[in-house]
Amino acid sequence: MLETKIIKVDKNQPERDKIKMAAEIIRKGGLVAFPTETVYGLGGNALDEDAAKKIYAAKGRPQDNPLIVHIWDISQLNQLVKEIPEKARLLMDKFWPGPLTIIFHKNDVVPFGTTGGLDTVAIRMPSHPVALELIKEAGVPIAAPSANISGKPSPVCAEEVAEDMTGRIDMILDGGKASVGVESTVLDLSEEVPIILRPGGVTREELQEVLGRVDLDPGLAPGEKPRSPGQKYRHYAPDAPMTLVEGPIDRQVKTINELAEKLESQGLKVGIMATAQTRHLYTSGHIISAGDRTAPLTISSNIFTILRKFDRLGVDQILAEGISKDGIGLAVMNRLYKAAGYNVIKV
Ligand code: AMP
Ligand code: MG
């Protein structure tokens, strides 16, 4: 068991002494969880195979699920990749720093331990000042998957990291709540038409403005084989089984009310993930609003915390409303599908 230090940092102007302490741990091969704009990352030296091994062990992550490498400046990129395609340059100009991960052909300095055995490496530049300062001070790129036990909902605040990682890592930098709340968009540029391997913080519409046509990996559909190794695993899952209801909103509410009533009559405890527009329409269950349907960023930043909350409440069944797949809604629905194990009712 490690003694996990939790250190509060100013999220806009992180204190130098704290960043230095954390960077020292990374350089020595240890693990530090830190805030990014998407979710909290579990960071280790991306160029150190042993550090990568420790990340997999701390998370209980399958060895073939590659890690995303985080950089603070474009100057770090040349060392890591064989070439930088023109499309990547356009995207980096527009979306870095930010929640976009791009797949490149890796150079030899990047160990296979970091890439899950692949010849490619996923790279992004986060926009959170704490993340940027930490990577800069460490002097090495930082491999950082989400700082949760593999399969659980990703953490968006230090308390949620501590829930999963206490005793498993050296330090947690507490920089408050992550603003986006879902992970980065992972993009593959190796084909003629760019392919979204995982929808995330940068939307398909935003990518299309820069690149023209952008496809969504058809392998993300239930029962298909996704192109990205990590996408095949059950993920984001709360302890309680979850049912996602999709369709016109009045019918969603009617169906969820009927299901909740039935489950409660069997003596089961029901959690309902509603929205600001609908929460007052439910007649039973433990109701939590994820946010405002007209402002989907309010929803994306809350979904993982609500799933964890239902676990703490010990509900037996979660019933969740679907939202529009426009914009960041695509990433939200991808996470909810997975959290529900594709248990979806279309009404
Ligand atoms: P996480 O670390 O939990 O944010 O998950 C990282 C995601 O990026 C997983 O879905 C991985 O499969 C994906 N990923 C990382 N590296 C690669 C790569 N080289 N090729 C394809 N997907 C990748
Ligand atoms: Mg993850």
Side-chain angles (χ1 to χ4, degrees), residues 59 61 65-68 103 115 118 120-122 144-146 183 186 197-198 227-231 235:
K59 281 181 61 86
R61 183 176 174 106
N65 185 355
L67 306 176
I68 294 174
I103 312 288
T115 66
L118 298 176
T120 52
V121 57
S146 49
E183 297 84 345
V186 179
L197 303 183
R198 174 179 75 181
R227 297 167 68 100
S228 182
Q231 293 298 308
H235 214 147

Side-chain angles (χ1 to χ4, degrees), residues 42 52-68 113-116 144-151 154 165 168 183 198 228-231 233 235-236:
L42 175 51
K53 278 198 187 118
K54 284 189 197 167
I55 293 177
Y56 284 94
K59 281 181 61 86
R61 183 176 174 106
Q63 291 289 335
D64 71 337
N65 185 355
L67 306 176
I68 294 174
T114 297
T115 66
S146 49
N148 52 289
I149 299 278
S150 203
S154 303
M165 288 298 153
R168 294 170 179 254
E183 297 84 345
R198 174 179 75 181
S228 182
Q231 293 298 308
Y233 293 107
H235 214 147
Y236 317 117

Side-chain angles (χ1 to χ4, degrees), residues 202-223:
V202 170
T203 66
R204 184 180 187 180
E205 294 87 337
E206 287 172 318
L207 293 172
Q208 280 170 332
E209 267 174 40
V210 178
L211 300 175
R213 181 172 158 193
V214 175
D215 286 348
L216 189 63
D217 176 13
L220 291 175

Side-chain angles (χ1 to χ4, degrees), residues 296-314:
L297 261 179
T298 62
I299 298 180
S300 65
S301 62
N302 281 328
I303 53 171
F304 288 138
T305 297
I306 294 173
L307 295 178
R308 281 180 181 259
K309 195 155 179 194
F310 282 139
D311 279 348
R312 277 200 302 276
L313 288 166

